[in-house]
Amino acid sequence: MNEFLKQLPKKAAEKKAENKKFFAKLKKRPPKNLDYLMQELHEAEFEKTDCLTCANCCKTTGPLFTNADVERIAKYFRLKPQKFISQYLRVDEENDYVLQQVPCTFLGADNYCSIYDVRPKACREFPHTDRKKFQQISNLTMKNVAICPAAYNIVEEMKKKIK
């Protein structure tokens, strides 16, 4: 896994033009069964991928925190939402709440998340490869294939299945 992770940004960069072209076509004419296919590919990949051996998403990027996330996590810590925000978050250039720093403050040395049961929606849904209307998030997917080995594998499989 470590070797693949090291190679991932390079592999993703090499596939960028090909993926961009593929996603542009996919956006114009998505197959009728795309949601079903993505669900299938996602499930198959995550049967053989253990996120705990990787956690690259938590180590290299930070999720967006919705107001609902802030409320839920603050309650978990028995903090007022404003206190949680000032302690852990900052507002980014797009006016979203994000972590003050990466790797994620809540990631343990064992790759376990200390707030797993109340983690942000963005974390629960990552890498978003089983989303409905998958073709609408191609820009996000292009970023995720450089971070997440599972997302990379899913996109490569998807390209084989959709010609």
Side-chain angles (χ1 to χ4, degrees):
M1 173 61 88
N2 278 348
E3 199 48 47
F4 189 71
L5 260 183
K6 281 183 201 158
Q7 297 296 314
L8 193 57
K10 185 176 180 263
K11 284 175 172 270
E14 288 168 359
K15 299 273 185 177
K16 190 173 184 170
E18 178 186 312
N19 286 349
K20 208 171 182 169
K21 201 168 150 184
F22 176 80
F23 281 121
K25 229 193 269 181
L26 191 67
K27 236 179 196 167
K28 277 186 191 151
R29 302 196 77 186
K32 287 196 185 342
N33 67 337
L34 183 62
D35 287 349
Y36 175 77
L37 174 66
M38 292 313 297
Q39 191 69 46
E40 219 173 61
L41 293 173
H42 178 89
E43 285 171 13
E45 181 61 33
F46 281 99
E47 277 177 21
K48 59 186 180 198
T49 299
D50 178 12
C51 294
L52 291 173
T53 63
C54 178
N56 199 41
C57 50
C58 307
K59 293 172 183 172
T60 61
T61 61
L64 297 181
F65 285 72
T66 65
N67 288 332
D69 293 332
V70 169
E71 297 277 334
R72 185 178 60 258
I73 300 166
K75 185 179 177 185
Y76 175 80
F77 282 122
R78 294 187 172 92
L79 294 171
K80 296 257 185 255
Q82 207 44 54
K83 178 78 173 146
F84 173 76
I85 290 167
S86 66
Q87 210 166 326
Y88 297 103
L89 307 180
R90 66 178 175 81
V91 176
D92 71 1
E93 46 295 328
E94 287 159 20
N95 239 11
D96 292 313
Y97 287 122
V98 295
L99 291 168
Q100 288 177 3
Q101 69 211 30
V102 290
C104 179
T105 313
F106 308 113
L107 181 68
D110 57 1
N111 286 347
Y112 277 86
C113 174
S114 64
I115 61 166
Y116 189 80
D117 291 338
V118 293
R119 70 195 184 280
K121 182 177 189 264
C123 299
R124 283 195 308 270
E125 295 178 354
F126 192 84
H128 312 285
T129 46
D130 60 346
R131 280 249 295 256
K132 300 247 185 274
K133 296 189 173 142
F134 177 77
Q135 72 278 9
Q136 295 176 350
I137 60 162
S138 56
N139 289 345
L140 179 62
T141 303
M142 294 278 288
K143 288 178 187 160
N144 290 347
V145 296
I147 298 164
C148 175
Y152 179 88
N153 291 339
I154 290 166
V155 168
E156 289 307 302
E157 248 343 273
M158 179 178 75
K159 290 188 301 193
K160 290 177 194 167
K161 301 243 187 233
I162 302 171
K163 299 267 182 219

